[in-house]
């Protein structure tokens, strides 16, 4: 991952998922991990994306299930100019 000290990394994860270790290890490069505590869909379906926009993370990630839920609700968040990588690990998202 090509990140510089002070840049923000935002991945929605839990401590039981391997991406948590990825987030925690970002501290070794002085990257700022952005943590989100709460439901993906509360209080609004796009709460996670609003937080991403506020933090100006350069790398973001969420699971394909969340991306699919947004599509079903016709919510298409815009990716702002600070983002260099948008990842959706684990399994392929539907076409």
């Amino acid at each position: 991952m090509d990140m510089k000290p002070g840049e923000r990394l935002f991945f929605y994860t839990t401590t039981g998922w391997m991406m948590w270790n990825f987030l925690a290890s970002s501290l070794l490069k002085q990257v700022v991990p952005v943590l989100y505590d709460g439901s993906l869909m509360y209080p609004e379906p796009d709460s996670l994306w609003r937080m991403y926009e506020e933090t100006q993370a350069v790398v973001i990630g969420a699971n394909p299930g969340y991306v699919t839920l947004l599509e079903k609700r016709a919510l298409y968040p815009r990716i702002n100019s600070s983002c260099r990588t948008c990842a959706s690990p684990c399994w392929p998202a539907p076409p």
Side-chain angles (χ1 to χ4, degrees):
M1 182 80 38
D2 183 27
M3 295 190 73
K4 297 171 184 68
E7 291 183 323
R8 292 178 181 93
L9 169 65
F10 184 29
F11 236 100
Y12 180 77
T13 185
T14 66
T15 56
W17 190 33
M18 57 82 60
M19 292 311 295
W20 172 258
N21 296 325
F22 177 72
L23 267 178
S25 69
S26 69
L27 293 168
L28 296 171
K29 290 188 74 174
Q30 298 177 331
V31 169
V32 179
V34 177
L35 305 178
Y36 181 84
D37 183 23
S39 169
L40 287 171
M41 303 301 282
Y42 182 82
E44 300 293 330
D46 64 345
S47 295
L48 185 72
W49 288 99
R50 283 189 283 128
M51 185 174 174
Y52 149 68
E53 289 177 351
E54 291 171 12
T55 62
Q56 297 293 299
V58 297
V59 176
I60 62 170
N63 65 41
Y66 179 64
V67 174
T68 301
L69 284 172
L70 290 178
E71 286 180 341
K72 286 181 180 178
R73 293 175 183 239
L75 294 171
Y76 301 99
R78 72 179 204 285
I79 302 295
N80 63 37
S81 61
S82 67
C83 182
R84 289 197 312 254
T85 304
C86 184
S88 184
C90 284
W91 66 86

